Amino acid sequence: MYSANHWGGAFEINGEGGHEAEDDHSRNMDLDRGALSRQLDETQASWLLGPPESKKKDKYIDLGCVVCKRKLFWWVFWCIIIAFIVIGVPIIIAKSIPKKKPAPIPPDAYANALHKALMFFNAQRSGKLPKNNGVSWRGNSGMGDGLKTTDFGLVGGYYDAGDNIKFHFPMAFSMTLLSWTVVEYSEKYKALGEYDHVRDIIRWGTDYLLLTFNSSATTINKMYTQVGIAKINSTTPDDHYCWMRPEDMDYPRPVQTTSAAADLGAEVAAALAAASIVFRDDPAYSKKLVRGASTAYKFARDTGHRQKYSKGNPYIEPFYNSTGFWDEFMWSAAWMYYATGNNSLLQFATDPRLPKNANAFMAIPDLSVFSWDNKLPGAELLLTRLRIMLNPGYPYEESLLGYYNATQLTMCMSVRKFNTFNWTQGGLIQLNHGRPQPLQYAMNFAFLASLYADYLDAVNVPGFYCGPNYFSASNLRSFAKSQVDYVLGNNPKQMSYIVGYGKKYPTHVHHRGASIPHDGVKYSCTGGFKWRDSKNPNPNLLIGAMAPGPDQFDGFLDSRKNYTYTEPTLAGNAGLVAALISLTGTAGTGIDKNTIFSAVPPLYPGTPPPPAPWKP
């Protein structure tokens, strides 16, 4: 329907019929252009815009050192609280929970054998024994040694083997070798709990060696070479004619003295010098050892005393005959240099005449066999260490390079395919050409090979050359392990050659103290032979003693009467300890690179001081 529009025109109203109509007025209405262009006053504008919005002011918090917005402050605060809850609380809970300590690495075969091998030295002690000696069947012995015939007495030290003689030459070598192992592998000894033990062993030996000459003097004219004697086919009581426990000895024990002993004097000097590095944490004792070493070294080097200590002595030559002294000169000079840092000693060790007199560069296989008699390979390795780690250069380089090359050749002899030495079918190298007692030589060589591999690792050198053939350091370790594993039981006899190690080992070692019962009965000089000849196992276990070893066909006879198979020695066990400590991985790997150089002065001039301020 339509209704009238009093303002003009018509407008459509939707009626009940649902018809839609357009608002013609609103669509076609003319705009008042003047009204739109007119400027509105403030009141009119307020009608259109409404009341103005009030602007909020930011609130701030004064923290003393800084002023910040309150909103930012609370935002940071709650972020910290949330972070603490999400991160801090779990960490606190985790830290408060008690943790189980990681189980120690189980000892490997080498570590287990090492513990036993060191005990052999406790069983060999002479003199007044400490309460913690740990060998129940041993007691005080040799308490009168040298008291009537020497200046200071010769009580103490070690019996050499299965008899009761104290041979100073191999004893000194054994102490040098043990000290070398401590200098290189002190951390391993500590981790295995044997550090104090091995140092006690060394000190027992060096305390005694200081008695074998006037160590408080600067110049001497004699040394004592051994206590006790034995003669081949002797008919009077001595250490071989009698079979007695050392605690029961009642026969004469004469002392051997010499006024010329270049080899013995140099070896004693080496032992004391090496031990002085071991005991550097005891300054007074270390200095005492250095003073004694200097005196013994001076005695050895004196031209009036340059003679082999064993020459013409029927009580020494059949047992520990020395074949020369130039190797001991090189060996002792190296140790004396490391102990004192005296450059004159390095100058002597690298004097071209010394290796020439020692035949060091002649590539003679037998001179590459490290032993109580031949120190050449050990001395060359010691000086090679100096070259590859400190590289002193001119004027030492020519001889040091020669020692390095000689060491490389020695290591090449461990390679079986070169056939430098024979090997048994069971894999034992025959460094003494099939003669008796091969194990001590094999253990010494195993130690040198393993140690040289550690030297190469320390300077990041992966291997060495034998002519055109290249071998890695792992080849040296494999050789060393093969020889030690042979001793531990990987041999045709399937037996360990270390008493008390493994399920099968020698039970009839040639040893007076171990073979005679510790029952309070004193058996006479010849009365003890019934125990030597008994077929029963030894009543006392000589733990850790290494038997001399098999024959060239891997055969072994476990008999007291046959000492070539069953008599252990100090030098043999020292080599065994050295090989074992170098190979065990229970206490980590690698050497102590720097301790041996503690006394060595800087090899190059230091940085000069800055010039004085200029004055006009």
Side-chain angles (χ1 to χ4, degrees):
M1 86 180 238
Y2 294 90
S3 60
N5 183 356
H6 301 287
W7 286 277
F11 56 85
E12 182 179 352
I13 300 176
N14 291 332
E16 293 179 358
H19 298 286
E20 296 180 357
E22 295 181 359
D23 187 355
D24 293 332
H25 175 73
S26 62
R27 180 181 297 172
N28 300 320
M29 179 175 73
D30 292 332
L31 300 174
D32 187 351
R33 306 293 180 184
L36 292 176
S37 60
R38 188 177 60 203
Q39 183 71 32
L40 300 178
D41 60 23
E42 185 176 352
T43 302
Q44 292 172 328
S46 68
W47 295 343
L48 297 175
L49 300 177
E53 294 182 3
S54 60
K55 190 174 182 181
K56 295 181 179 181
K57 293 184 178 181
D58 291 329
K59 296 183 178 180
Y60 293 85
I61 295 177
D62 188 353
L63 299 177
C65 58
V66 66
V67 177
C68 67
K69 291 182 178 180
R70 175 180 290 183
K71 189 179 290 185
L72 176 63
F73 170 79
W74 286 111
W75 184 87
V76 172
F77 174 78
W78 287 112
C79 284
I80 293 173
I81 295 298
I82 293 170
F84 175 76
I85 295 172
V86 173
I87 300 174
V89 172
I91 292 176
I92 293 172
I93 294 173
K95 292 285 187 180
S96 63
I97 297 174
K99 294 182 179 180
K100 291 183 178 180
K101 292 183 179 180
I105 300 174
D108 56 22
Y110 307 123
N112 285 329
L114 176 70
H115 293 304
K116 297 182 182 297
L118 288 170
M119 284 303 299
F120 172 73
F121 293 90
N122 292 48
Q124 294 301 105
R125 279 176 170 165
S126 178
K128 183 176 177 57
L129 302 186
K131 293 182 179 179
N132 64 345
N133 192 51
V135 183
S136 61
W137 47 270
R138 281 300 324 279
N140 299 339
S141 62
M143 298 301 293
D145 285 352
L147 292 180
K148 296 180 179 179
T149 57
T150 66
D151 300 325
F152 311 103
L154 291 169
V155 177
Y158 292 98
Y159 299 119
D160 176 68
D163 52 28
N164 300 327
I165 302 176
K166 295 189 287 195
F167 290 101
H168 300 169
F169 192 47
M171 187 194 302
F173 170 73
S174 300
M175 296 304 105
T176 312
L177 187 52
L178 289 178
S179 292
W180 193 2
T181 70
V182 177
V183 170
E184 302 286 10
Y185 298 111
S186 60
E187 292 304 315
K188 284 189 178 185
Y189 277 116
K190 290 174 183 177
L192 292 173
E194 291 287 2
Y195 183 65
D196 291 336
H197 184 196
V198 72
R199 282 171 37 118
D200 285 344
I201 291 170
I202 294 168
R203 186 159 187 163
W204 191 270
T206 52
D207 282 349
Y208 178 78
L209 292 175
L210 289 170
L211 299 177
T212 62
F213 64 100
N214 186 359
S215 58
S216 61
T218 56
T219 303
I220 58 174
N221 56 15
K222 67 178 179 181
M223 293 190 82
Y224 303 114
T225 60
Q226 76 180 53
V227 177
I229 60 170
K231 240 183 159 180
I232 303 298
N233 299 321
S234 176
T235 58
T236 57
D238 62 23
D239 275 286
H240 281 189
Y241 181 84
C242 299
W243 191 271
M244 302 180 73
R245 297 175 68 246
E247 293 80 2
D248 296 334
M249 294 182 296
D250 55 10
Y251 48 83
R253 289 175 57 77
V255 174
Q256 300 298 295
T257 308
T258 182
S259 59
D263 39 15
L264 176 61
E267 185 57 63
V268 170
L272 300 178
S276 75
I277 303 174
V278 172
F279 293 101
R280 189 149 283 160
D281 59 343
D282 184 348
Y285 189 62
S286 181
K287 289 178 182 178
K288 181 178 181 180
L289 292 172
V290 169
R291 286 195 301 269
S294 300
T295 300
Y297 182 78
K298 182 179 179 182
F299 172 76
R301 293 279 293 123
D302 191 321
T303 54
H305 301 120
R306 290 191 185 178
Q307 181 176 298
K308 295 184 296 181
Y309 90 107
S310 58
K311 185 177 181 181
N313 190 320
Y315 302 117
I316 301 176
E317 279 186 323
F319 308 108
Y320 284 103
N321 183 46
S322 174
T323 57
F325 51 77
W326 291 104
D327 56 319
E328 278 85 16
F329 279 179
M330 188 186 300
W331 173 247
S332 60
W335 279 116
M336 288 290 293
Y337 173 66
Y338 286 138
T340 66
N342 188 330
N343 277 330
S344 66
L345 294 161
L346 180 59
Q347 291 169 3
F348 173 69
T350 55
D351 187 318
R353 293 171 293 183
L354 178 57
K356 181 179 180 181
N357 288 330
N359 294 319
F361 304 153
M362 299 296 290
I364 300 172
D366 285 351
L367 293 183
S368 297
V369 179
F370 188 42
S371 73
W372 57 264
D373 181 38
N374 178 36
K375 318 308 180 342
L376 201 56
E380 291 167 346
L381 182 55
L382 271 177
L383 293 165
T384 293
R385 192 192 207 280
L386 178 67
R387 180 180 186 268
I388 65 177
M389 295 187 188
L390 295 187
N391 190 22
Y394 181 83
Y396 314 112
E397 174 60 16
E398 181 180 354
S399 290
L400 290 179
L401 178 60
Y403 295 141
Y404 170 79
N405 291 335
T407 295
Q408 300 274 70
L409 284 175
T410 297
M411 298 304 149
C412 293
M413 294 178 188
S414 69
V415 181
R416 190 167 185 173
K417 73 175 185 178
F418 294 147
N419 296 318
T420 308
F421 293 97
N422 292 328
W423 299 59
T424 69
Q425 289 186 354
L428 179 67
I429 191 170
Q430 296 287 285
L431 295 169
N432 62 339
H433 306 289
R435 292 190 290 270
Q437 305 179 12
L439 292 186
Q440 62 173 299
Y441 305 102
M443 292 303 94
N444 289 345
F445 199 177
F447 167 63
L448 294 187
S450 178
L451 180 60
Y452 188 53
D454 283 340
Y455 285 177
L456 294 179
D457 287 348
V459 294
N460 297 316
V461 175
F464 63 103
Y465 281 95
C466 296
N469 302 287
Y470 180 80
F471 297 94
S472 68
S474 62
N475 289 101
L476 292 174
R477 288 197 183 91
S478 295
F479 162 75
K481 288 182 178 180
S482 73
Q483 300 306 294
V484 176
D485 289 349
Y486 185 101
V487 173
L488 299 185
N490 187 15
N491 55 64
K493 289 289 185 181
Q494 293 296 296
M495 65 174 290
S496 158
Y497 284 99
I498 302 174
V499 176
Y501 180 84
K503 295 181 179 179
K504 182 182 179 183
Y505 50 81
T507 58
H508 298 74
V509 291
H510 180 97
H511 191 274
R512 285 158 174 76
S515 64
I516 300 175
H518 180 222
D519 55 8
V521 178
K522 178 179 177 179
Y523 297 93
S524 65
C525 169
T526 56
F529 278 100
K530 72 175 184 178
W531 302 110
R532 186 202 69 175
D533 300 338
S534 170
K535 294 182 179 180
N536 296 325
N538 287 342
N540 305 312
L541 199 62
L542 188 60
I543 293 176
M546 183 180 73
D551 58 27
Q552 58 188 317
F553 306 108
D554 297 305
F556 179 75
L557 182 62
D558 190 7
S559 168
R560 286 187 211 91
K561 288 185 178 181
N562 200 327
Y563 65 89
T564 60
Y565 287 102
T566 60
E567 186 175 20
T569 63
L570 279 183
N573 257 66
L576 172 65
V577 167
L580 290 169
I581 192 65
S582 70
L583 289 174
T584 181
T586 300
T589 58
I591 59 166
D592 180 339
K593 190 175 178 180
N594 298 316
T595 295
I596 199 171
F597 299 130
S598 298
V600 174
L603 297 172
Y604 303 100
T607 304
W614 181 79
K615 294 181 180 180

